[in-house]
Amino acid sequence: SCRFSAHQHSSYLYAAEILISAYHRDAEMRPFIFELFHRITEIGLVNLTSDEQALHDKVELVEDFFGIFDRSLRFSPDMVSASAALDRVISLACVCIRIEHKPAAESVYAFLESMYAFGCGLPQPAPPHVSALLGNAAPHVMSAIFAVILAVPPRYIAELMPQTFEYIHRAFPSDFPVWFAQAVTVFPPSVVSESEKPAILEKLSGKAVHTVLNDIGYRCEQVAMRNRNKKPD
């Protein structure tokens, strides 16, 4: 982690991930693995949050930073749960989902998907403090994803979104309508009218998540095209 602090190449995160996957079940190695994970991810977090305007220049670091969280959650959920930076990592993910770089985007969305699957009890029930953290973050995650849809992202990003919504609803079904009502205000009435919101909520709460997000994305694309074609007064 000292070398990573000095050079901050994404390859150090990837190497740490390999060590964690190889030794997470070794009782003698677990203290070292825990310390490695927490130190190296804290260094990565400081780097990525130091200048959010420069994230597009750090796509490999973004990819491996969220990759180590995603895969460590599968290997050792208790290690990820113990991270004091978890709330800041989710907040950073809400910023990084705007990055139009396929491997980085896949890593960020995989992290969010895995975190909310954890909230659903996969691979094991999340500790109460993690469930509370996920609940606090959920409306911000939903708003951030809606903002990306409004900006008309590439198709490969749009295809990554539905599963996160499904897990958020599954983990917090009673809160989901309230969070939806907050998040959907991202869209102008030309994309989502007031009268359409109940039907969209119903689809997002059921098995038509992919379809309804695609439909909203299409509307955003049409609005963007009309705005581009408007002649100046």
Side-chain angles (χ1 to χ4, degrees):
S1 61
C2 292
R3 287 181 178 273
F4 181 52
S5 182
H7 302 288
Q8 301 187 3
H9 298 309
S10 65
S11 55
Y12 287 106
L13 282 165
Y14 183 71
E17 182 185 320
I18 297 299
L19 287 172
I20 291 167
S21 65
Y23 294 106
H24 67 281
R25 289 194 178 94
D26 188 318
E28 292 184 0
M29 290 292 291
R30 277 180 71 79
F32 165 75
I33 292 298
F34 266 58
E35 182 179 0
L36 173 64
F37 173 80
H38 294 301
R39 289 185 64 182
I40 204 165
T41 55
E42 180 62 35
I43 294 168
L45 182 63
V46 169
N47 178 292
L48 291 172
T49 55
S50 62
D51 184 4
E52 292 183 354
Q53 301 303 314
L55 287 172
H56 287 272
D57 299 323
K58 302 177 180 180
V59 290
E60 292 182 352
L61 189 61
V62 169
E63 177 188 355
D64 287 328
F65 177 78
F66 287 101
I68 195 172
F69 270 94
D70 175 38
R71 284 178 278 277
S72 294
L73 192 56
R74 303 176 203 174
F75 301 137
S76 186
D78 55 330
M79 181 172 67
V80 177
S81 298
S83 173
L86 201 51
D87 57 339
R88 289 180 289 150
V89 176
I90 296 175
S91 295
L92 177 62
C94 290
V95 177
C96 290
I97 59 172
R98 301 194 300 258
I99 296 174
E100 294 185 2
H101 179 271
K102 194 170 187 290
E106 288 174 343
S107 184
V108 176
Y109 279 96
F111 162 74
L112 288 172
E113 183 180 323
S114 294
M115 284 303 307
Y116 282 96
F118 193 28
C120 295
L122 302 171
Q124 65 187 44
H129 77 279
V130 174
S131 292
L133 185 154
L134 291 171
N136 290 336
H140 304 291
V141 173
M142 294 169 66
S143 294
I145 294 176
F146 280 164
V148 173
I149 295 174
L150 181 62
V152 190
R155 173 57 56 184
Y156 67 81
I157 290 181
E159 293 293 331
L160 298 171
M161 298 174 175
Q163 197 72 47
T164 298
F165 275 96
E166 290 175 3
Y167 279 127
I168 291 175
H169 177 263
R170 184 173 161 187
F172 305 99
S174 61
D175 295 309
F176 190 84
V178 177
W179 297 338
F180 168 79
Q182 296 172 12
V184 77
T185 59
V186 166
F187 298 115
S190 55
V191 173
V192 176
S193 67
E194 194 66 34
S195 62
E196 291 176 304
K197 290 178 182 178
I200 290 174
L201 172 60
E202 183 178 357
K203 290 177 181 177
L204 281 176
S205 303
K207 297 182 178 180
V209 178
H210 191 278
T211 300
V212 72
L213 291 182
N214 274 349
D215 180 53
I216 294 172
Y218 176 77
R219 296 182 192 189
C220 291
E221 187 176 351
Q222 295 302 304
V223 169
M225 288 177 63
R226 287 198 297 270
N227 290 339
R228 283 197 298 269
N229 293 333
K230 277 184 180 179
K231 295 181 179 179
D233 295 332

